[in-house]
Amino acid sequence: MTSNVVKAIRIEQHGGPEVLKLVDVEVPPPAANEITIRQHAVGLNFIDIYYRTGLYPHPLPHGLGFEAAGVVEAVGAEVKHLKVGDRVAYGQSPIGAYAQARNVPAAQVVKLPKGVEFDDAAALMLKGLTVQYLFRQTYRLQGNETILFHAAAGGVGLIACQWAKALGVKLIGTVSSPEKAELARANGAWETIDYSRENVAERVLELTNGKKVPVVYDGVGKDTWETSLDCIEPRGLMVSFGNASGPVSGVNLATLNQKGCLYVTRPSLGLHVNTHEKLNAAAKEMFDLVLKKKIKVRIDQRYRLEDAGEAQTALASRKTTGATVLTLD
């Protein structure tokens, strides 16, 4: 395959959505361990905003995005598990998914089963695999627990609600409005707590008959840290997996002792799917639930590639529900 020129989003400096520029980039033939993907849909995630603002540093200039789905257009010499024409998706790649086509390491790519559409896959890979590692690896839910999950009406949250229900787990989800509460419950949340009107820790105590929960999954960060600790039963686990409200800082280990000898972990997807075998196994579990209709991807916002800045603004303002994708068809 000869080099081809495609449209892609790049940033040359950190800042607001205005730093996103749509430019022409050249996609060279894939390296031996890479494939070239002609992308149909790209997933939008909070981490994209962290890289745009510089909260997560990366040498400039660079692209944005880690998650997309499309069709294999070219295959590197050493790639054995994929061929030209395969429908594929990925959720962990080198930064730069906001593009019409690109090269991706083949080990980070999985084949899409029949019945899973490009938009769904692009919305699912990062968020769905995040729920997989949280529920099946970080703290392996058995099916009889009551748990607390923050931001239950967001992209990750709605998948978590459905996955918890499929496992027989009672998920208490925090939300910011009655509409979001209704949405989380419609997706399988056992109960919801509207943190704009209710005291989360007090409601958790009521809902669990004073027992609290064995694990809290918190992707919000700074704003919910203290509250989360107050919801965990003695020797329970605090899973802090994101910073939507800003990073947690100044963690006092003595506080963990005072609040019940608590455990804390700060996991991320990368180390949970750091081999192709682990990635395939996690993706298979997720896609099986999709094909059995236990998980339905809710995509409430679709934007074109050139409107990526507008899409990020909507995500950051918490005006979105479910997932957001950039469409390239």
Side-chain angles (χ1 to χ4, degrees), residues 121-170:
L124 249 185
M125 285 297 290
L126 191 61
K127 300 173 194 69
L129 290 177
T130 294
V131 178
Q132 195 282 336
Y133 90 74
L134 290 173
F135 283 7
R136 313 301 288 147
Q137 298 186 63
T138 301
Y139 183 101
R140 190 173 174 87
L141 294 169
Q142 304 301 315
N144 54 1
E145 301 90 348
T146 302
I147 65 172
L148 182 67
F149 201 101
H150 286 295
V156 176
L158 290 181
I159 295 169
C161 290
Q162 296 174 74
W163 205 314
K165 189 173 184 188
L167 290 170
V169 168
K170 292 178 173 177

mmCIF file of all heavy atoms in Angstrom, residues 121-170:
data_model
loop_
_atom_site.group_PDB
_atom_site.id
_atom_site.type_symbol
_atom_site.label_atom_id
_atom_site.label_comp_id
_atom_site.label_asym_id
_atom_site.label_seq_id
_atom_site.Cartn_x
_atom_site.Cartn_y
_atom_site.Cartn_z
ATOM 1 N N ALA A 121 -18.955 -0.493 18.824
ATOM 2 C CA ALA A 121 -17.610 -0.931 19.213
ATOM 3 C C ALA A 121 -16.752 0.256 19.638
ATOM 4 O O ALA A 121 -16.023 0.190 20.633
ATOM 5 C CB ALA A 121 -16.945 -1.676 18.062
ATOM 6 N N ALA A 122 -16.865 1.364 18.893
ATOM 7 C CA ALA A 122 -16.070 2.556 19.227
ATOM 8 C C ALA A 122 -16.482 3.132 20.572
ATOM 9 O O ALA A 122 -15.666 3.691 21.308
ATOM 10 C CB ALA A 122 -16.219 3.613 18.135
ATOM 11 N N ALA A 123 -17.761 2.994 20.894
ATOM 12 C CA ALA A 123 -18.254 3.503 22.174
ATOM 13 C C ALA A 123 -17.963 2.530 23.313
ATOM 14 O O ALA A 123 -18.001 2.902 24.478
ATOM 15 C CB ALA A 123 -19.755 3.752 22.086
ATOM 16 N N LEU A 124 -17.694 1.297 22.967
ATOM 17 C CA LEU A 124 -17.600 0.225 23.968
ATOM 18 C C LEU A 124 -16.195 -0.110 24.409
ATOM 19 O O LEU A 124 -15.994 -0.515 25.548
ATOM 20 C CB LEU A 124 -18.165 -1.065 23.353
ATOM 21 C CG LEU A 124 -19.461 -1.645 23.866
ATOM 22 C CD1 LEU A 124 -19.706 -2.967 23.185
ATOM 23 C CD2 LEU A 124 -19.447 -1.828 25.382
ATOM 24 N N MET A 125 -15.229 -0.034 23.500
ATOM 25 C CA MET A 125 -13.940 -0.660 23.797
ATOM 26 C C MET A 125 -13.309 -0.132 25.085
ATOM 27 O O MET A 125 -12.994 -0.904 25.981
ATOM 28 C CB MET A 125 -12.978 -0.491 22.619
ATOM 29 C CG MET A 125 -13.293 -1.396 21.451
ATOM 30 S SD MET A 125 -13.154 -3.173 21.828
ATOM 31 C CE MET A 125 -11.385 -3.353 22.006
ATOM 32 N N LEU A 126 -13.129 1.164 25.186
ATOM 33 C CA LEU A 126 -12.490 1.702 26.387
ATOM 34 C C LEU A 126 -13.423 1.613 27.588
ATOM 35 O O LEU A 126 -13.037 1.144 28.659
ATOM 36 C CB LEU A 126 -12.057 3.148 26.138
ATOM 37 C CG LEU A 126 -11.153 3.770 27.199
ATOM 38 C CD1 LEU A 126 -9.843 3.016 27.329
ATOM 39 C CD2 LEU A 126 -10.858 5.228 26.860
ATOM 40 N N LYS A 127 -14.681 2.021 27.395
ATOM 41 C CA LYS A 127 -15.614 2.050 28.530
ATOM 42 C C LYS A 127 -15.988 0.636 28.971
ATOM 43 O O LYS A 127 -16.029 0.314 30.153
ATOM 44 C CB LYS A 127 -16.866 2.847 28.160
ATOM 45 C CG LYS A 127 -16.591 4.291 27.789
ATOM 46 C CD LYS A 127 -17.842 4.977 27.262
ATOM 47 C CE LYS A 127 -17.544 6.279 26.568
ATOM 48 N NZ LYS A 127 -16.836 6.123 25.292
ATOM 49 N N GLY A 128 -16.293 -0.229 27.994
ATOM 50 C CA GLY A 128 -16.694 -1.591 28.325
ATOM 51 C C GLY A 128 -15.563 -2.397 28.926
ATOM 52 O O GLY A 128 -15.764 -3.146 29.891
ATOM 53 N N LEU A 129 -14.355 -2.240 28.372
ATOM 54 C CA LEU A 129 -13.213 -2.956 28.943
ATOM 55 C C LEU A 129 -12.835 -2.383 30.303
ATOM 56 O O LEU A 129 -12.314 -3.097 31.163
ATOM 57 C CB LEU A 129 -12.018 -2.910 27.986
ATOM 58 C CG LEU A 129 -12.179 -3.737 26.711
ATOM 59 C CD1 LEU A 129 -10.970 -3.559 25.794
ATOM 60 C CD2 LEU A 129 -12.376 -5.222 27.024
ATOM 61 N N THR A 130 -13.112 -1.100 30.523
ATOM 62 C CA THR A 130 -12.915 -0.514 31.859
ATOM 63 C C THR A 130 -13.818 -1.219 32.870
ATOM 64 O O THR A 130 -13.373 -1.632 33.945
ATOM 65 C CB THR A 130 -13.199 1.003 31.840
ATOM 66 O OG1 THR A 130 -12.217 1.641 31.024
ATOM 67 C CG2 THR A 130 -13.167 1.601 33.236
ATOM 68 N N VAL A 131 -15.094 -1.392 32.516
ATOM 69 C CA VAL A 131 -16.015 -2.083 33.423
ATOM 70 C C VAL A 131 -15.575 -3.538 33.607
ATOM 71 O O VAL A 131 -15.623 -4.081 34.717
ATOM 72 C CB VAL A 131 -17.470 -2.007 32.918
ATOM 73 C CG1 VAL A 131 -18.408 -2.775 33.842
ATOM 74 C CG2 VAL A 131 -17.922 -0.548 32.815
ATOM 75 N N GLN A 132 -15.106 -4.175 32.531
ATOM 76 C CA GLN A 132 -14.638 -5.563 32.641
ATOM 77 C C GLN A 132 -13.528 -5.674 33.679
ATOM 78 O O GLN A 132 -13.584 -6.530 34.570
ATOM 79 C CB GLN A 132 -14.151 -6.066 31.271
ATOM 80 C CG GLN A 132 -13.975 -7.590 31.183
ATOM 81 C CD GLN A 132 -12.700 -8.106 31.835
ATOM 82 O OE1 GLN A 132 -11.716 -7.398 31.982
ATOM 83 N NE2 GLN A 132 -12.717 -9.371 32.235
ATOM 84 N N TYR A 133 -12.500 -4.823 33.579
ATOM 85 C CA TYR A 133 -11.395 -4.977 34.534
ATOM 86 C C TYR A 133 -11.805 -4.570 35.945
ATOM 87 O O TYR A 133 -11.382 -5.192 36.925
ATOM 88 C CB TYR A 133 -10.119 -4.256 34.045
ATOM 89 C CG TYR A 133 -9.936 -2.816 34.467
ATOM 90 C CD1 TYR A 133 -9.579 -2.478 35.774
ATOM 91 C CD2 TYR A 133 -10.063 -1.778 33.544
ATOM 92 C CE1 TYR A 133 -9.388 -1.165 36.158
ATOM 93 C CE2 TYR A 133 -9.869 -0.454 33.919
ATOM 94 C CZ TYR A 133 -9.539 -0.155 35.231
ATOM 95 O OH TYR A 133 -9.345 1.141 35.609
ATOM 96 N N LEU A 134 -12.675 -3.553 36.062
ATOM 97 C CA LEU A 134 -13.122 -3.137 37.398
ATOM 98 C C LEU A 134 -13.920 -4.241 38.093
ATOM 99 O O LEU A 134 -13.695 -4.547 39.264
ATOM 100 C CB LEU A 134 -13.994 -1.887 37.293
ATOM 101 C CG LEU A 134 -13.296 -0.582 36.907
ATOM 102 C CD1 LEU A 134 -14.327 0.524 36.683
ATOM 103 C CD2 LEU A 134 -12.277 -0.157 37.957
ATOM 104 N N PHE A 135 -14.870 -4.839 37.351
ATOM 105 C CA PHE A 135 -15.801 -5.811 37.951
ATOM 106 C C PHE A 135 -15.262 -7.231 37.972
ATOM 107 O O PHE A 135 -15.688 -8.044 38.789
ATOM 108 C CB PHE A 135 -17.123 -5.812 37.163
ATOM 109 C CG PHE A 135 -18.027 -4.643 37.459
ATOM 110 C CD1 PHE A 135 -17.616 -3.583 38.258
ATOM 111 C CD2 PHE A 135 -19.317 -4.598 36.929
ATOM 112 C CE1 PHE A 135 -18.463 -2.507 38.523
ATOM 113 C CE2 PHE A 135 -20.177 -3.541 37.200
ATOM 114 C CZ PHE A 135 -19.741 -2.495 37.986
ATOM 115 N N ARG A 136 -14.345 -7.561 37.060
ATOM 116 C CA ARG A 136 -13.911 -8.951 36.930
ATOM 117 C C ARG A 136 -12.451 -9.170 37.320
ATOM 118 O O ARG A 136 -11.998 -10.312 37.415
ATOM 119 C CB ARG A 136 -14.127 -9.459 35.489
ATOM 120 C CG ARG A 136 -15.507 -9.135 34.923
ATOM 121 C CD ARG A 136 -16.646 -9.708 35.728
ATOM 122 N NE ARG A 136 -16.749 -11.146 35.576
ATOM 123 C CZ ARG A 136 -17.165 -11.972 36.543
ATOM 124 N NH1 ARG A 136 -17.486 -11.499 37.727
ATOM 125 N NH2 ARG A 136 -17.249 -13.256 36.313
ATOM 126 N N GLN A 137 -11.697 -8.049 37.496
ATOM 127 C CA GLN A 137 -10.282 -8.186 37.835
ATOM 128 C C GLN A 137 -9.887 -7.400 39.090
ATOM 129 O O GLN A 137 -9.398 -7.983 40.051
ATOM 130 C CB GLN A 137 -9.411 -7.745 36.638
ATOM 131 C CG GLN A 137 -9.636 -8.612 35.390
ATOM 132 C CD GLN A 137 -8.668 -8.265 34.273
ATOM 133 O OE1 GLN A 137 -7.460 -8.411 34.412
ATOM 134 N NE2 GLN A 137 -9.190 -7.797 33.144
ATOM 135 N N THR A 138 -10.108 -6.079 39.103
ATOM 136 C CA THR A 138 -9.690 -5.267 40.248
ATOM 137 C C THR A 138 -10.357 -5.746 41.536
ATOM 138 O O THR A 138 -9.697 -5.967 42.554
ATOM 139 C CB THR A 138 -10.032 -3.782 40.012
ATOM 140 O OG1 THR A 138 -9.372 -3.353 38.828
ATOM 141 C CG2 THR A 138 -9.581 -2.936 41.175
ATOM 142 N N TYR A 139 -11.670 -5.874 41.503
ATOM 143 C CA TYR A 139 -12.431 -6.471 42.609
ATOM 144 C C TYR A 139 -13.426 -7.396 41.934
ATOM 145 O O TYR A 139 -14.401 -6.924 41.347
ATOM 146 C CB TYR A 139 -13.152 -5.395 43.438
ATOM 147 C CG TYR A 139 -13.907 -5.942 44.633
ATOM 148 C CD1 TYR A 139 -13.373 -5.849 45.921
ATOM 149 C CD2 TYR A 139 -15.153 -6.566 44.481
ATOM 150 C CE1 TYR A 139 -14.064 -6.356 47.021
ATOM 151 C CE2 TYR A 139 -15.840 -7.074 45.570
ATOM 152 C CZ TYR A 139 -15.293 -6.966 46.839
ATOM 153 O OH TYR A 139 -15.985 -7.469 47.928
ATOM 154 N N ARG A 140 -13.174 -8.681 41.972
ATOM 155 C CA ARG A 140 -13.980 -9.621 41.191
ATOM 156 C C ARG A 140 -15.330 -9.853 41.859
ATOM 157 O O ARG A 140 -15.428 -10.538 42.881
ATOM 158 C CB ARG A 140 -13.226 -10.939 41.000
ATOM 159 C CG ARG A 140 -13.918 -11.855 39.984
ATOM 160 C CD ARG A 140 -13.091 -13.087 39.657
ATOM 161 N NE ARG A 140 -13.848 -13.996 38.802
ATOM 162 C CZ ARG A 140 -13.885 -13.925 37.482
ATOM 163 N NH1 ARG A 140 -13.202 -12.996 36.845
ATOM 164 N NH2 ARG A 140 -14.606 -14.785 36.782
ATOM 165 N N LEU A 141 -16.357 -9.252 41.282
ATOM 166 C CA LEU A 141 -17.694 -9.366 41.862
ATOM 167 C C LEU A 141 -18.218 -10.790 41.702
ATOM 168 O O LEU A 141 -18.080 -11.406 40.649
ATOM 169 C CB LEU A 141 -18.640 -8.378 41.169
ATOM 170 C CG LEU A 141 -18.302 -6.898 41.416
ATOM 171 C CD1 LEU A 141 -19.112 -6.000 40.494
ATOM 172 C CD2 LEU A 141 -18.542 -6.523 42.865
ATOM 173 N N GLN A 142 -18.821 -11.297 42.766
ATOM 174 C CA GLN A 142 -19.324 -12.673 42.773
ATOM 175 C C GLN A 142 -20.805 -12.746 42.395
ATOM 176 O O GLN A 142 -21.288 -13.777 41.954
ATOM 177 C CB GLN A 142 -19.137 -13.295 44.163
ATOM 178 C CG GLN A 142 -17.703 -13.274 44.658
ATOM 179 C CD GLN A 142 -16.751 -14.011 43.741
ATOM 180 O OE1 GLN A 142 -17.041 -15.108 43.276
ATOM 181 N NE2 GLN A 142 -15.611 -13.393 43.455
ATOM 182 N N GLY A 143 -21.526 -11.653 42.618
ATOM 183 C CA GLY A 143 -22.926 -11.660 42.231
ATOM 184 C C GLY A 143 -23.886 -11.469 43.387
ATOM 185 O O GLY A 143 -25.094 -11.447 43.205
ATOM 186 N N ASN A 144 -23.357 -11.288 44.595
ATOM 187 C CA ASN A 144 -24.277 -11.094 45.730
ATOM 188 C C ASN A 144 -23.974 -9.801 46.477
ATOM 189 O O ASN A 144 -24.453 -9.585 47.572
ATOM 190 C CB ASN A 144 -24.173 -12.288 46.697
ATOM 191 C CG ASN A 144 -22.729 -12.533 47.123
ATOM 192 O OD1 ASN A 144 -21.832 -11.804 46.699
ATOM 193 N ND2 ASN A 144 -22.507 -13.539 47.942
ATOM 194 N N GLU A 145 -23.150 -8.927 45.863
ATOM 195 C CA GLU A 145 -22.738 -7.713 46.564
ATOM 196 C C GLU A 145 -23.682 -6.547 46.285
ATOM 197 O O GLU A 145 -24.396 -6.535 45.286
ATOM 198 C CB GLU A 145 -21.326 -7.267 46.128
ATOM 199 C CG GLU A 145 -20.226 -8.273 46.365
ATOM 200 C CD GLU A 145 -20.006 -9.217 45.186
ATOM 201 O OE1 GLU A 145 -20.861 -9.238 44.253
ATOM 202 O OE2 GLU A 145 -19.002 -9.930 45.198
ATOM 203 N N THR A 146 -23.625 -5.571 47.184
ATOM 204 C CA THR A 146 -24.177 -4.243 46.913
ATOM 205 C C THR A 146 -22.980 -3.316 46.791
ATOM 206 O O THR A 146 -22.114 -3.302 47.661
ATOM 207 C CB THR A 146 -25.091 -3.779 48.062
ATOM 208 O OG1 THR A 146 -26.146 -4.734 48.233
ATOM 209 C CG2 THR A 146 -25.693 -2.416 47.767
ATOM 210 N N ILE A 147 -22.904 -2.567 45.689
ATOM 211 C CA ILE A 147 -21.735 -1.725 45.430
ATOM 212 C C ILE A 147 -22.171 -0.291 45.148
ATOM 213 O O ILE A 147 -23.344 -0.035 44.853
ATOM 214 C CB ILE A 147 -20.927 -2.265 44.223
ATOM 215 C CG1 ILE A 147 -21.753 -2.162 42.919
ATOM 216 C CG2 ILE A 147 -20.474 -3.709 44.469
ATOM 217 C CD1 ILE A 147 -20.979 -2.496 41.645
ATOM 218 N N LEU A 148 -21.215 0.635 45.238
ATOM 219 C CA LEU A 148 -21.482 2.031 44.892
ATOM 220 C C LEU A 148 -20.660 2.382 43.661
ATOM 221 O O LEU A 148 -19.456 2.108 43.605
ATOM 222 C CB LEU A 148 -21.104 2.961 46.045
ATOM 223 C CG LEU A 148 -21.379 4.461 45.811
ATOM 224 C CD1 LEU A 148 -22.875 4.737 45.717
ATOM 225 C CD2 LEU A 148 -20.758 5.313 46.921
ATOM 226 N N PHE A 149 -21.326 2.982 42.661
ATOM 227 C CA PHE A 149 -20.649 3.378 41.425
ATOM 228 C C PHE A 149 -21.003 4.831 41.139
ATOM 229 O O PHE A 149 -22.171 5.171 40.979
ATOM 230 C CB PHE A 149 -21.102 2.485 40.255
ATOM 231 C CG PHE A 149 -20.141 2.472 39.101
ATOM 232 C CD1 PHE A 149 -19.258 1.417 38.924
ATOM 233 C CD2 PHE A 149 -20.108 3.527 38.188
ATOM 234 C CE1 PHE A 149 -18.354 1.396 37.864
ATOM 235 C CE2 PHE A 149 -19.214 3.520 37.133
ATOM 236 C CZ PHE A 149 -18.335 2.455 36.974
ATOM 237 N N HIS A 150 -19.977 5.693 41.089
ATOM 238 C CA HIS A 150 -20.228 7.115 40.844
ATOM 239 C C HIS A 150 -20.459 7.390 39.361
ATOM 240 O O HIS A 150 -19.953 6.676 38.499
ATOM 241 C CB HIS A 150 -19.057 7.956 41.341
ATOM 242 C CG HIS A 150 -18.993 8.062 42.830
ATOM 243 N ND1 HIS A 150 -19.963 8.703 43.572
ATOM 244 C CD2 HIS A 150 -18.082 7.604 43.732
ATOM 245 C CE1 HIS A 150 -19.646 8.648 44.861
ATOM 246 N NE2 HIS A 150 -18.513 7.980 44.979
ATOM 247 N N ALA A 151 -21.220 8.455 39.086
ATOM 248 C CA ALA A 151 -21.521 8.886 37.707
ATOM 249 C C ALA A 151 -22.161 7.742 36.917
ATOM 250 O O ALA A 151 -21.716 7.367 35.845
ATOM 251 C CB ALA A 151 -20.260 9.398 37.001
ATOM 252 N N ALA A 152 -23.241 7.218 37.483
ATOM 253 C CA ALA A 152 -23.858 6.012 36.922
ATOM 254 C C ALA A 152 -24.563 6.242 35.595
ATOM 255 O O ALA A 152 -24.868 5.288 34.889
ATOM 256 C CB ALA A 152 -24.846 5.416 37.935
ATOM 257 N N ALA A 153 -24.825 7.495 35.225
ATOM 258 C CA ALA A 153 -25.513 7.759 33.951
ATOM 259 C C ALA A 153 -24.551 8.160 32.841
ATOM 260 O O ALA A 153 -24.981 8.490 31.743
ATOM 261 C CB ALA A 153 -26.566 8.851 34.140
ATOM 262 N N GLY A 154 -23.258 8.109 33.115
ATOM 263 C CA GLY A 154 -22.267 8.428 32.085
ATOM 264 C C GLY A 154 -21.990 7.233 31.194
ATOM 265 O O GLY A 154 -22.618 6.174 31.319
ATOM 266 N N GLY A 155 -21.030 7.395 30.294
ATOM 267 C CA GLY A 155 -20.721 6.325 29.343
ATOM 268 C C GLY A 155 -20.279 5.040 30.015
ATOM 269 O O GLY A 155 -20.785 3.957 29.713
ATOM 270 N N VAL A 156 -19.328 5.144 30.959
ATOM 271 C CA VAL A 156 -18.878 3.959 31.698
ATOM 272 C C VAL A 156 -19.983 3.500 32.641
ATOM 273 O O VAL A 156 -20.258 2.312 32.775
ATOM 274 C CB VAL A 156 -17.583 4.262 32.488
ATOM 275 C CG1 VAL A 156 -17.162 3.063 33.339
ATOM 276 C CG2 VAL A 156 -16.444 4.629 31.527
ATOM 277 N N GLY A 157 -20.641 4.453 33.272
ATOM 278 C CA GLY A 157 -21.650 4.138 34.278
ATOM 279 C C GLY A 157 -22.809 3.309 33.754
ATOM 280 O O GLY A 157 -23.243 2.348 34.397
ATOM 281 N N LEU A 158 -23.325 3.652 32.569
ATOM 282 C CA LEU A 158 -24.468 2.903 32.034
ATOM 283 C C LEU A 158 -24.091 1.463 31.679
ATOM 284 O O LEU A 158 -24.895 0.546 31.835
ATOM 285 C CB LEU A 158 -25.052 3.609 30.808
ATOM 286 C CG LEU A 158 -25.768 4.931 31.100
ATOM 287 C CD1 LEU A 158 -26.317 5.536 29.823
ATOM 288 C CD2 LEU A 158 -26.890 4.758 32.126
ATOM 289 N N ILE A 159 -22.849 1.270 31.222
ATOM 290 C CA ILE A 159 -22.392 -0.108 30.977
ATOM 291 C C ILE A 159 -22.236 -0.834 32.311
ATOM 292 O O ILE A 159 -22.615 -1.999 32.442
ATOM 293 C CB ILE A 159 -21.064 -0.100 30.192
ATOM 294 C CG1 ILE A 159 -21.295 0.503 28.802
ATOM 295 C CG2 ILE A 159 -20.491 -1.512 30.063
ATOM 296 C CD1 ILE A 159 -20.015 0.798 28.030
ATOM 297 N N ALA A 160 -21.720 -0.126 33.320
ATOM 298 C CA ALA A 160 -21.565 -0.731 34.650
ATOM 299 C C ALA A 160 -22.921 -1.150 35.226
ATOM 300 O O ALA A 160 -23.050 -2.231 35.809
ATOM 301 C CB ALA A 160 -20.869 0.253 35.591
ATOM 302 N N CYS A 161 -23.936 -0.308 35.051
ATOM 303 C CA CYS A 161 -25.279 -0.645 35.548
ATOM 304 C C CYS A 161 -25.773 -1.954 34.934
ATOM 305 O O CYS A 161 -26.292 -2.841 35.629
ATOM 306 C CB CYS A 161 -26.263 0.477 35.226
ATOM 307 S SG CYS A 161 -26.028 1.998 36.161
ATOM 308 N N GLN A 162 -25.591 -2.089 33.620
ATOM 309 C CA GLN A 162 -26.064 -3.284 32.920
ATOM 310 C C GLN A 162 -25.241 -4.516 33.296
ATOM 311 O O GLN A 162 -25.786 -5.603 33.490
ATOM 312 C CB GLN A 162 -25.993 -3.053 31.407
ATOM 313 C CG GLN A 162 -26.924 -1.948 30.921
ATOM 314 C CD GLN A 162 -26.722 -1.653 29.443
ATOM 315 O OE1 GLN A 162 -27.127 -2.432 28.584
ATOM 316 N NE2 GLN A 162 -26.093 -0.535 29.132
ATOM 317 N N TRP A 163 -23.935 -4.340 33.387
ATOM 318 C CA TRP A 163 -23.052 -5.469 33.710
ATOM 319 C C TRP A 163 -23.324 -5.957 35.130
ATOM 320 O O TRP A 163 -23.377 -7.159 35.388
ATOM 321 C CB TRP A 163 -21.582 -5.051 33.546
ATOM 322 C CG TRP A 163 -20.639 -6.190 33.254
ATOM 323 C CD1 TRP A 163 -20.596 -7.404 33.881
ATOM 324 C CD2 TRP A 163 -19.619 -6.233 32.256
ATOM 325 N NE1 TRP A 163 -19.595 -8.188 33.349
ATOM 326 C CE2 TRP A 163 -18.980 -7.496 32.344
ATOM 327 C CE3 TRP A 163 -19.158 -5.318 31.308
ATOM 328 C CZ2 TRP A 163 -17.916 -7.865 31.524
ATOM 329 C CZ3 TRP A 163 -18.098 -5.690 30.494
ATOM 330 C CH2 TRP A 163 -17.491 -6.948 30.587
ATOM 331 N N ALA A 164 -23.516 -5.020 36.063
ATOM 332 C CA ALA A 164 -23.827 -5.397 37.441
ATOM 333 C C ALA A 164 -25.115 -6.214 37.496
ATOM 334 O O ALA A 164 -25.185 -7.259 38.150
ATOM 335 C CB ALA A 164 -23.950 -4.141 38.311
ATOM 336 N N LYS A 165 -26.126 -5.741 36.765
ATOM 337 C CA LYS A 165 -27.396 -6.466 36.758
ATOM 338 C C LYS A 165 -27.221 -7.868 36.185
ATOM 339 O O LYS A 165 -27.779 -8.846 36.700
ATOM 340 C CB LYS A 165 -28.436 -5.693 35.950
ATOM 341 C CG LYS A 165 -29.824 -6.312 36.097
ATOM 342 C CD LYS A 165 -30.899 -5.486 35.444
ATOM 343 C CE LYS A 165 -32.255 -6.118 35.716
ATOM 344 N NZ LYS A 165 -33.308 -5.457 34.945
ATOM 345 N N ALA A 166 -26.423 -7.985 35.117
ATOM 346 C CA ALA A 166 -26.173 -9.298 34.501
ATOM 347 C C ALA A 166 -25.472 -10.241 35.480
ATOM 348 O O ALA A 166 -25.662 -11.464 35.425
ATOM 349 C CB ALA A 166 -25.337 -9.131 33.242
ATOM 350 N N LEU A 167 -24.678 -9.678 36.404
ATOM 351 C CA LEU A 167 -23.959 -10.488 37.396
ATOM 352 C C LEU A 167 -24.798 -10.774 38.647
ATOM 353 O O LEU A 167 -24.380 -11.546 39.505
ATOM 354 C CB LEU A 167 -22.676 -9.768 37.835
ATOM 355 C CG LEU A 167 -21.546 -9.668 36.815
ATOM 356 C CD1 LEU A 167 -20.461 -8.717 37.326
ATOM 357 C CD2 LEU A 167 -20.947 -11.050 36.537
ATOM 358 N N GLY A 168 -25.959 -10.108 38.751
ATOM 359 C CA GLY A 168 -26.759 -10.252 39.961
ATOM 360 C C GLY A 168 -26.273 -9.378 41.104
ATOM 361 O O GLY A 168 -26.501 -9.664 42.272
ATOM 362 N N VAL A 169 -25.597 -8.284 40.759
ATOM 363 C CA VAL A 169 -25.045 -7.352 41.749
ATOM 364 C C VAL A 169 -25.985 -6.161 41.899
ATOM 365 O O VAL A 169 -26.517 -5.649 40.905
ATOM 366 C CB VAL A 169 -23.643 -6.868 41.291
ATOM 367 C CG1 VAL A 169 -23.160 -5.690 42.120
ATOM 368 C CG2 VAL A 169 -22.646 -8.019 41.348
ATOM 369 N N LYS A 170 -26.192 -5.701 43.129
ATOM 370 C CA LYS A 170 -27.010 -4.508 43.375
ATOM 371 C C LYS A 170 -26.127 -3.274 43.280
ATOM 372 O O LYS A 170 -25.313 -3.021 44.175
ATOM 373 C CB LYS A 170 -27.648 -4.578 44.768
ATOM 374 C CG LYS A 170 -28.706 -5.661 44.921
ATOM 375 C CD LYS A 170 -29.221 -5.652 46.356
ATOM 376 C CE LYS A 170 -30.401 -6.586 46.536
ATOM 377 N NZ LYS A 170 -30.835 -6.621 47.957
#
